[in-house]
Amino acid sequence: MLEGAVDALVHDPDGIYLDGTFGRGGHSRLILERLSPRGRLLAIDRDPAALAAASEILDPRFSIHGAPFAELDAIARSQGVHGELAGVLLDVGVSSPQLDDAERGFSFLRDGPLDMRMDPSAGISAAEWLASTAESEIARVFKTYGEERYAKRLARAVCERRRELPITRTGELAELLKQAHPAWEKGKHPATRAFQAIRIHLNDELGQLEAALPAALEALAPGGHLVIISFHSLEDRLVKRFYRDAAKGDAHLPKHLPIRDAQLNRRLELLGKAKRPDDVEVDANPRARSAVMRAARKLA
C-alpha cells in the first residue's frame, strides 16, 4: 500500500511530514519524491538496522530520529514543528526485513535466536521472557495478543519444556507449539498466533499505538492528514475506534442544533473508507493481504 498511503498523506508539497515507522524507508523515499524543495520530512524508528538504512538518505529535507513512534510528540517538539505537521504516517507492526532476518528472532519459519525485540538493546528477549514468566501470564499473553484459542495448553507445554531445557531458538519454540497445538487453521502455521502475541507483548506494540494516536493528532496542523496502516485486528480496532470518536465528537447533542465542528469537539474528518490492498499487490507481496489503511484530516 505504498502508493496509496503516500497519496493519502501528501496534500501539500511544501509541508512538513512525519514518517513514524521508517522501516527500510520505502514510504519516506516516496514522500521525499512528492515534496518540493521547501518541504521537510522527519522519520522515526527504534530499530538500529532501520536507523542505519536511514543514514543512507542524503537529503537536506530529511532527518531520522531514534525512538519509538509513541514519542513522536517529543520529536516534533524538539524540532520546533509541533502543531505544524502537514501529515503523519504510521505503518505499524513488524517489517518484512525484520521477519526475513533470522537473527532477529521474529519468524517461526527461520531458525535463529529467540529475541523478537524491535530494539535489541532494550528490554528482555523472548527467550528470557519465556524462561522467567509464570504459566498463567504466558497464557494471558497468548490469549490477549494472539487471540489463541488454545492459550492455556500452549503455555503449559512451554513451561513443561523449560523445566528440562531452556527454549532459546525460534525453531525450537515453533516445533514445540506445533506439537502441543491440537488444531490449527488451514494454511496457517500453528505457532503463528503465539509468536505474534510474544512480539506484541515484548515491544508493547498496542501501548505504543494507543499513545501515538492522540500524540499524532496534537502534532498535526489543522488540515493535516493522519494515515495509519495496520496488519491485524487488534491494531485496526484501536485505530478505527480512535478515528470514530475523534470524528464524532460530542455526538450525543441533537443533530438539528446549529453547532460548529469546534463546538462539537470534532477533531477529525474521515477521508473515505478503510482501504485494503488489491489482488495485484497481494500477489506481489502476500504479507500485505491483511493490511488495512485508514486516513483522516484534522479539523482543529
Side-chain angles (χ1 to χ4, degrees), residues 124-142 155-156 158-160 162-163 198 201-202:
I124 64 172
S125 69
E128 293 171 310
W129 183 76
L130 287 173
S132 60
T133 303
E135 181 179 323
S136 60
E137 174 64 4
I138 295 174
R140 184 194 70 81
V141 168
F142 287 176
R156 187 181 313 120
V158 166
C159 293
E160 288 175 354
R162 76 185 184 187
R163 283 195 287 268
I198 296 169
H201 174 70
L202 287 180

Side-chain angles (χ1 to χ4, degrees), residues 89-275:
L89 171 67
L90 298 176
D91 184 0
V92 296
V94 68
S95 68
S96 287
Q98 289 169 329
L99 285 170
D100 292 338
D101 184 353
E103 294 301 306
R104 301 300 300 274
F106 287 106
S107 176
F108 46 79
L109 298 176
R110 294 173 174 82
D111 184 51
L114 191 54
D115 196 308
M116 296 197 200
R117 288 173 291 177
M118 300 289 188
D119 178 356
S121 69
I124 64 172
S125 69
E128 293 171 310
W129 183 76
L130 287 173
S132 60
T133 303
E135 181 179 323
S136 60
E137 174 64 4
I138 295 174
R140 184 194 70 81
V141 168
F142 287 176
K143 179 69 174 178
T144 302
Y145 300 130
E147 300 178 298
E148 172 56 66
R149 179 181 179 185
Y150 299 101
K152 290 183 178 179
R153 183 191 292 253
L154 299 187
R156 187 181 313 120
V158 166
C159 293
E160 288 175 354
R161 168 64 181 275
R162 76 185 184 187
R163 283 195 287 268
E164 301 174 1
L165 289 171
I167 307 168
T168 62
R169 308 284 298 181
T170 56
E172 294 170 350
L173 179 59
E175 183 60 27
L176 171 66
L177 296 171
K178 181 179 179 180
Q179 295 296 325
H181 210 298
W184 56 86
E185 300 168 55
K186 184 178 180 180
K188 181 175 285 190
H189 193 287
T192 300
R193 293 180 179 275
F195 265 66
Q196 171 188 292
I198 296 169
R199 190 203 81 222
I200 290 173
H201 174 70
L202 287 180
N203 295 290
D204 188 28
E205 292 180 35
L206 296 183
Q208 288 283 314
L209 183 57
E210 283 186 305
L213 289 168
L217 181 56
E218 295 306 319
L220 286 168
H225 290 193
L226 178 58
V227 179
I228 303 178
I229 303 171
S230 57
F231 284 84
H232 60 74
S233 60
L234 297 176
E235 295 169 341
D236 185 55
R237 201 174 300 151
L238 288 176
V239 176
K240 182 178 180 180
R241 185 183 304 123
F242 178 81
Y243 277 26
R244 180 198 64 202
D245 292 347
K248 282 186 176 181
D250 298 323
H252 61 278
L253 294 175
K255 292 183 178 181
H256 64 275
L257 293 179
I259 297 175
R260 298 179 182 272
D261 287 336
Q263 293 173 298
L264 281 171
N265 198 32
R266 292 183 66 228
R267 306 296 308 281
L268 286 176
E269 174 190 6
L270 303 184
L271 298 176
K273 296 181 179 180
K275 292 182 172 57

Side-chain angles (χ1 to χ4, degrees), residues 8-12 15-20 40-42 72-77 80-90 212-228 242-243 246 267-269 271 294-300:
L9 180 75
V10 180
H11 58 98
D12 175 9
I16 306 169
Y17 294 86
L18 187 147
D19 179 355
R40 184 178 170 193
L41 174 63
L42 285 65
L72 66 87
D73 179 272
I75 299 297
R77 291 182 187 279
V81 297
H82 189 266
E84 300 178 14
L85 296 177
V88 173
L89 171 67
L90 298 176
L213 289 168
L217 181 56
E218 295 306 319
L220 286 168
H225 290 193
L226 178 58
V227 179
I228 303 178
F242 178 81
Y243 277 26
R267 306 296 308 281
L268 286 176
E269 174 190 6
L271 298 176
R294 297 182 186 273
R297 178 187 295 114
K298 182 175 178 177
L299 294 172

